[in-house]
Amino acid sequence: QVQLVESGGGLVQAGGSLRLSCAASGRSISINVMGYYRQAPGKQRELVATITNDGRTNYADSVKGRFTISRDNAKNTVYLQMNSLKSEDTAVYYCNADGYTRGLYYYSSPLWGQGTQVTVSS
């Protein structure tokens, strides 16, 4: 079974930086879209950024110019570099994959990481 394992996160002061990583387990798989979502207390989960396997990116307006998403397809790993962090970036960040291909089969159920807490102190 393919799983997404997240790392990174933590406590940082406003204006600081953090880097999140998310690796998909499983052999011989390929994933089209990987990304990050976040959920703050009392709010709905929202898109942060996504990246396709050919490098096309999409960002929420609130993070454009501050966050950068990248990936290593050989490792099925996605990274989120977060700079100039603000208190409103405080949330649990979830890694996501839209599905995966193994051999001739495509598994369409979205995958989610376990979540990692990012706290930005003002």
Side-chain angles (χ1 to χ4, degrees), residues 100-118:
Y100 64 94
T101 300
R102 174 178 279 152
L104 300 177
Y105 299 97
Y106 176 66
Y107 300 85
S108 61
S109 295
L111 303 174
W112 292 96
Q114 79 275 18
T116 186
Q117 177 70 46
V118 171

Side-chain angles (χ1 to χ4, degrees), residues 58-69:
N58 179 51
Y59 294 93
D61 288 343
S62 59
V63 307
K64 283 181 181 177
R66 300 187 298 122
F67 291 12
T68 301
I69 192 168

Side-chain angles (χ1 to χ4, degrees), residues 43-55:
K43 295 187 177 182
Q44 290 188 332
R45 190 173 296 188
E46 63 177 4
L47 171 74
V48 176
T50 60
I51 184 168
T52 65
N53 58 8
D54 59 356

Side-chain angles (χ1 to χ4, degrees), residues 7-70:
S7 59
L11 174 64
V12 65
Q13 288 188 333
S17 298
L18 283 174
R19 188 190 195 212
L20 307 183
S21 299
C22 171
S25 65
R27 297 179 178 179
S28 303
I29 63 170
S30 62
I31 300 172
N32 182 24
V33 183
M34 299 187 77
Y36 278 93
Y37 291 71
R38 66 186 181 187
Q39 188 166 18
K43 295 187 177 182
Q44 290 188 332
R45 190 173 296 188
E46 63 177 4
L47 171 74
V48 176
T50 60
I51 184 168
T52 65
N53 58 8
D54 59 356
R56 287 173 288 136
T57 58
N58 179 51
Y59 294 93
D61 288 343
S62 59
V63 307
K64 283 181 181 177
R66 300 187 298 122
F67 291 12
T68 301
I69 192 168
S70 60

Side-chain angles (χ1 to χ4, degrees), residues 21-24 34 70-79:
S21 299
C22 171
M34 299 187 77
S70 60
R71 66 188 283 175
D72 183 336
N73 288 333
K75 297 180 180 179
N76 283 315
T77 299
V78 63
Y79 307 96

